Amino acid sequence: MSIPDVVTAGEDEMMKKKQIFLHLGVQKSGTTTLRSSLDKNRGQLRQFDGIDYICAHKFPIKIDGLDGERSCLGNPMLQCSPDDLRKDERFMQFRSCLMNYRNSTSTKALFHNEVFISNFSATKHSWQILRNELQDFDVSIILTYRRYFEWLPSYYAQVHNPRAIGNDWDKSKLPTFPEWFQLSADCTDQNAFSIQRRWGDETSRSEMHPIESEISRMKLHYQNTRIHNMHAFSGDLVSSFYCNTIDADYTCEHQVKSNEHANPMRNKDYHILALAAYEKGLIKNSDRLKRSEVGKLAEKFHRTSAKVRDSKFPTICLSPQQQEELLNRSLEMEKRLLPEWFASPDGEAAHRSKFSQYIEQGKFCGIDTARVLEEEEWINFFAKTLNLMAKKKVRVNVPKRVRKKKPH
């Protein structure tokens, strides 16, 4: 059974429709901070600004049906019928939220989901399904802008979580930032959440900002798009969202501050080093030591061993040419997306200044494992200390003898 086409509403009909803001990311643009604030302020948003925050913490789409979960809008191979849609639990939660809002007395609503479009399969069939669900509403798309050069290392950190690869000893699954930057530029990143997979080749090659990619996907279906600039209001992204983006005047002035901050970046260096040591053949008992455990032990050794605790890891960074190209492309993106902001004192000059800070802080660098593994202390740690620890962990599992009961 096919999904019926949506008939475009006329101007008079649009005037009668309820308004819905779809804040669709992109991820790593302050979305965790914003979501926490929306949770805190949802009551006054509704009471004083007339905006319902709907479907909180509901994620209608799973990328490509990851982990075996069926996702009608996340898997481009699926051509879901109405019956299939009713079996998609995530999708049905979204439909239920929209239905509740449609039947309420409210005339404005906000839906927040940072991965909606980046996980969306974007096939003609999927767009048809989405348009059917939203045909009763006047839709405005909101996308949060973050400077591309800031967004890039933050996204790298998110998709290369050492815990996500479990105990896999494949070094390619946890590259350094410069390695990943080159993989993305070559469009050869095999990560399930690669930039190429989510936003296409041009974004992967740093030629297009992720929100430019999302706008280009949606413009044939939804023309009303607002860009939320997280750098406005002196970087107070929550205030700029309420005050400038959704016109929530009361909450703009009286927002309840949230204590939740951005997701912390975890140090990947020790896990990357462990994988490099394994690849070099220094770790002989990988079957007895978990990869995640080796990374933690390497970190403990670095902090407690008198021979290495005061030393910093040598690094490899993007080349000067790569850095200059990244800056220029980041500037070009901002100029295209926010020309007035770019021309202001908070635009290009602040952009360049922040980029210089990122260079000084080593944001575009990664651990130089080859140099670290030339040091005697680290060679001994991986080749001797770890292997001794692995041997001590071995236990002979002798089955317990079952004592026979004496006959009465």
Side-chain angles (χ1 to χ4, degrees), residues 105-116:
T105 57
S106 302
T107 57
K108 289 183 180 180
L110 170 67
F111 170 70
H112 166 88
N113 187 318
E114 65 187 64
V115 296
F116 193 96

Side-chain angles (χ1 to χ4, degrees), residues 313-337:
F313 286 140
T315 58
I316 295 179
C317 306
L318 295 185
S319 69
Q321 181 181 352
Q322 287 175 315
Q323 292 177 13
E324 183 179 3
E325 186 175 340
L326 176 58
L327 172 60
N328 289 335
R329 290 189 173 180
S330 186
L331 289 167
E332 289 167 3
M333 292 173 195
E334 183 166 288
K335 188 175 182 179
R336 290 196 300 266
L337 287 164

Side-chain angles (χ1 to χ4, degrees), residues 189-316:
D189 184 9
Q190 298 301 308
N191 191 295
F193 304 105
S194 70
I195 294 177
Q196 182 187 23
R197 163 61 186 82
R198 281 183 150 165
W199 295 284
D201 291 358
E202 289 179 285
T203 304
S204 189
R205 294 193 299 262
S206 301
E207 297 169 0
M208 178 184 286
H209 195 283
I211 68 172
E212 289 182 290
S213 171
E214 298 202 354
I215 290 170
S216 69
R217 292 191 208 181
M218 293 183 289
K219 65 183 179 182
L220 295 177
H221 310 278
Y222 302 103
Q223 289 75 40
N224 188 1
T225 301
R226 303 183 182 188
I227 296 178
H228 165 228
N229 182 3
M230 69 176 289
H231 306 293
F233 275 71
S234 301
D236 184 349
L237 67 97
V238 172
S239 292
S240 67
F241 185 80
Y242 292 137
C243 306
N244 287 357
T245 309
I246 63 171
D247 303 320
D249 296 334
Y250 182 89
T251 305
C252 171
E253 296 293 331
H254 303 91
Q255 61 176 285
V256 178
K257 297 291 184 180
S258 171
N259 294 323
E260 186 167 346
H261 299 288
N263 295 317
M265 286 192 183
R266 294 177 174 85
N267 194 321
K268 299 171 176 56
D269 286 350
Y270 300 101
H271 298 277
I272 293 173
L273 182 60
L275 290 170
Y278 171 78
E279 188 178 63
K280 193 174 180 178
L282 296 175
I283 301 175
K284 303 296 184 183
N285 294 289
S286 58
D287 57 328
R288 300 173 188 171
L289 288 170
K290 296 180 179 179
R291 184 211 54 77
S292 56
E293 185 179 13
V294 173
K296 292 176 183 177
L297 289 171
E299 182 174 9
K300 182 179 180 181
F301 174 72
H302 195 194
R303 289 179 176 177
T304 58
S305 173
K307 294 181 179 179
V308 297
R309 66 184 174 202
D310 295 326
S311 63
K312 291 184 178 180
F313 286 140
T315 58
I316 295 179

Side-chain angles (χ1 to χ4, degrees), residues 10-63:
E11 187 175 338
D12 291 340
E13 188 179 344
M14 287 295 292
M15 293 294 290
K16 302 174 185 178
K17 290 186 173 185
K18 291 187 174 187
Q19 187 173 12
I20 185 167
F21 296 112
L22 302 181
H23 180 235
L24 305 180
V26 294
Q27 52 266 56
K28 307 314 297 176
S29 298
T31 48
T32 299
T33 300
L34 184 57
R35 182 170 61 244
S36 178
S37 178
L38 289 169
D39 289 338
K40 291 272 188 183
N41 291 281
R42 67 186 308 167
Q44 66 179 28
L45 269 172
R46 181 175 187 177
Q47 182 177 355
F48 299 109
D49 292 307
I51 301 173
D52 266 358
Y53 174 39
I54 65 171
C55 251
H57 305 280
K58 303 296 183 186
F59 298 90
I61 306 172
K62 187 85 168 180
I63 188 168

